[in-house]
């Protein structure tokens, strides 16, 4: 919810061209990337055998819904005026929140699943089944649906009498800011902070486990599997570092100043500008998520080149971390 800057009715503030260009780029790359990813995950690979495939298909669906809402944002920030009605104003704002927190939760599920496959491959088999994966996905969507209702109600179009135009995505009342900030604090803790700690813990556990494989018993399949699984976890952490954490940090600081909980000179404008930039960074989430598909969507290649004396050990690690591993 952007800053109420009533001193200027034009679109000269840098946020308008920044949002317009950023959303256009995200739409340009995110729409084909996620469409192709979803097609490959659902139509080509299928969802009957692959647990991580189920999680990634739901992640791709969330990203695709967000990118499909971007034309509405582009139209508004290119013109500075909303003419499409209240319902179409609420939908893009809601889908932004839906994408951020559903992505966070699905990335967490992917990380936990891969950690269990590597660290506890036998004891966790009952948790890494297709029915259980769908149960977890349904739970995530139910949580997101519960978040979507108050978010939609808190993102209506707003009349700007000073400029005599209708606004969307900005110019919210103080009461809407209080409600929005309350929602933000709750979802930041449960939807960002806790999942990030879980992913970080999974990353540490996997790295420690992989170090346990000695060079004497490793094969080329093993080494390729190690590299692939480490890159998967690093890509998850990268998405949090670029998209989720900066945006929520800046948004909370801006909200604290906006609601007069924190005070200080020109810091409100500074945090508003920072929140604008980090919001653009957060929108790139739908373009970065295909990194996860890339590092998880192919079985490890090159097994035939491995030393036959160590093939059994390498193959065990490959199976524990491959796309089709249960």
């Amino acid at each position: 919810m952007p800053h109420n800057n009533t001193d200027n009715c034009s679109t000269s503030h840098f946020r308008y061209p920044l949002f317009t260009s950023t959303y256009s780029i995200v739409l340009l790359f995110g729409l084909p990337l996620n469409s192709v990813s979803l097609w490959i995950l659902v139509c080509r690979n299928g969802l009957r055998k692959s647990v991580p495939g189920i999680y990634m298909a739901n992640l791709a669906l969330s990203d695709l819904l967000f990118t499909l809402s971007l034309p509405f944002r582009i139209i508004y920030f290119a013109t500075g005026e909303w003419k499409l009605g209240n319902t179409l104003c609420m939908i893009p704002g809601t889908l932004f929140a839906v994408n951020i927190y559903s992505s966070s939760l699905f990335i967490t599920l992917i990380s936990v699943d891969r950690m269990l496959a590597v660290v506890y491959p036998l004891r966790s088999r009952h948790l890494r089944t297709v029915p259980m994966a769908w149960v977890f996905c349904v739970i995530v969507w139910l949580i997101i649906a519960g978040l979507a209702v108050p978010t939609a109600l808190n993102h209506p179009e707003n009349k700007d009498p000073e400029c005599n135009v209708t606004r969307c995505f900005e110019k919210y009342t103080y009461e809407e800011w209080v409600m929005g900030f309350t929602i933000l604090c709750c979802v930041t803790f449960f939807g960002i902070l806790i999942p990030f700690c879980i992913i970080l813990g999974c990353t540490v556990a996997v790295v420690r486990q992989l170090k346990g494989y000695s060079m004497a018993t490793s094969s080329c399949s093993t080494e390729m599997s190690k590299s692939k699984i480490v890159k998967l976890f690093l890509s998850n952490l990268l998405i949090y570092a670029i998209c989720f954490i900066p945006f929520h940090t800046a948004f909370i600081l801006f909200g604290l100043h906006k609601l007069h909980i924190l005070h200080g000179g020109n810091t409100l404008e500074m945090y508003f500008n920072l929140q604008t930039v980090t919001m653009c960074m957060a929108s790139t989430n739908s373009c970065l998520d295909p990194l996860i598909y890339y590092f998880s969507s192919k079985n490890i290649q090159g097994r035939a080149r491995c030393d036959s004396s160590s093939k059994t050990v390498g193959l065990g690690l490959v199976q524990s971390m491959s796309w089709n591993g249960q």
Side-chain angles (χ1 to χ4, degrees):
M1 288 180 292
H3 175 44
N4 290 341
N5 186 1
T6 58
D7 296 331
N8 192 352
C9 294
S10 71
T11 57
S12 60
H13 190 276
F14 80 92
R15 72 183 182 276
Y16 289 102
L18 179 61
F19 279 136
T20 301
S21 58
T22 300
Y23 292 145
S24 297
I25 293 173
V26 172
L27 177 63
L28 178 64
F29 290 98
L31 183 59
L33 281 174
N34 288 288
S35 298
V36 172
S37 297
L38 189 61
W39 178 80
I40 292 175
L41 290 165
V42 176
C43 299
R44 185 174 175 181
N45 293 321
L47 301 177
R48 296 180 180 179
K49 297 181 180 180
S50 173
V51 171
I54 293 172
Y55 295 144
M56 283 183 281
N58 281 270
L59 178 60
L61 176 61
S62 173
D63 290 335
L64 186 60
L65 290 174
F66 171 65
T67 56
L68 290 174
S69 73
L70 288 178
F72 299 105
R73 288 180 174 268
I74 294 170
I75 291 172
Y76 174 74
F77 286 107
T79 62
E81 184 175 1
W82 185 258
K83 299 180 179 180
L84 301 177
N86 188 54
T87 300
L88 288 180
C89 177
M90 291 190 294
I91 291 175
T94 303
L95 288 178
F96 178 82
V98 166
N99 176 246
I100 290 290
Y101 302 109
S102 61
S103 294
S104 175
L105 295 176
F106 284 125
I107 291 173
T108 303
L109 288 175
I110 293 170
S111 298
V112 171
D113 175 75
R114 295 299 83 190
M115 184 276 293
L116 292 175
V118 174
V119 181
Y120 308 104
L122 297 180
R123 285 185 287 175
S124 64
R125 289 184 68 88
H126 66 287
L127 295 175
R128 295 183 294 111
T129 63
V130 169
M132 287 300 297
W134 281 114
V135 168
F136 291 138
C137 289
V138 169
I139 291 174
V140 169
W141 284 116
L142 288 176
I143 293 173
I144 295 303
L147 169 65
V149 174
T151 301
L153 295 177
N154 204 54
H155 283 76
E157 64 178 11
N158 293 277
K159 301 294 182 180
D160 188 349
E162 184 171 347
C163 300
N164 195 29
V165 296
T166 300
R167 303 290 189 183
C168 187
F169 317 120
E170 60 181 342
K171 304 292 182 179
Y172 293 99
T173 65
Y174 182 82
E175 291 73 19
E176 289 168 340
W177 255 106
V178 172
M179 175 61 70
F181 186 72
T182 301
I183 296 173
L184 174 67
C185 290
C186 292
V187 296
T188 298
F189 181 77
F190 292 104
I192 299 297
L193 183 58
I194 291 180
F196 176 72
C197 291
I198 293 174
I199 294 173
L200 190 60
C202 290
T203 304
V204 172
V206 166
V207 171
R208 291 180 62 182
Q209 181 72 16
L210 294 181
K211 286 183 177 180
Y213 290 91
S214 65
M215 295 300 296
T217 60
S218 66
S219 65
C220 66
S221 289
T222 307
E223 293 306 316
M224 293 172 69
S225 297
K226 286 182 181 181
S227 175
K228 201 175 186 75
I229 198 68
V230 169
K231 288 178 180 178
L232 168 64
F233 280 92
L234 290 179
S235 66
N236 292 345
L237 293 175
L238 178 67
I239 290 173
Y240 269 80
I242 294 177
C243 302
F244 298 156
I245 295 178
F247 169 66
H248 287 82
T249 301
F251 211 159
I252 287 176
L253 289 173
F254 175 56
L256 291 173
H257 281 78
K258 180 74 175 179
L259 300 178
H260 309 296
I261 299 174
L262 294 180
H263 304 277
N266 297 324
T267 54
L268 180 62
E269 187 68 23
M270 178 186 70
Y271 283 123
F272 169 60
N273 293 336
L274 182 61
Q275 181 260 346
T276 298
V277 174
T278 55
M279 190 170 187
C280 290
M281 294 168 59
S283 68
T284 64
N285 162 57
S286 59
C287 293
L288 291 178
D289 283 341
L291 287 174
I292 299 176
Y293 314 147
Y294 175 77
F295 289 127
S296 303
S297 61
K298 296 180 180 179
N299 289 327
I300 305 302
Q301 302 297 321
R303 297 178 189 175
R305 298 189 301 269
C306 300
D307 188 333
S308 59
S309 64
S310 59
K311 185 174 289 186
T312 302
V313 176
L315 184 58
L317 180 58
V318 169
Q319 289 175 339
S320 72
M321 293 186 292
S322 68
W323 167 268
N324 294 318
Q326 294 297 315

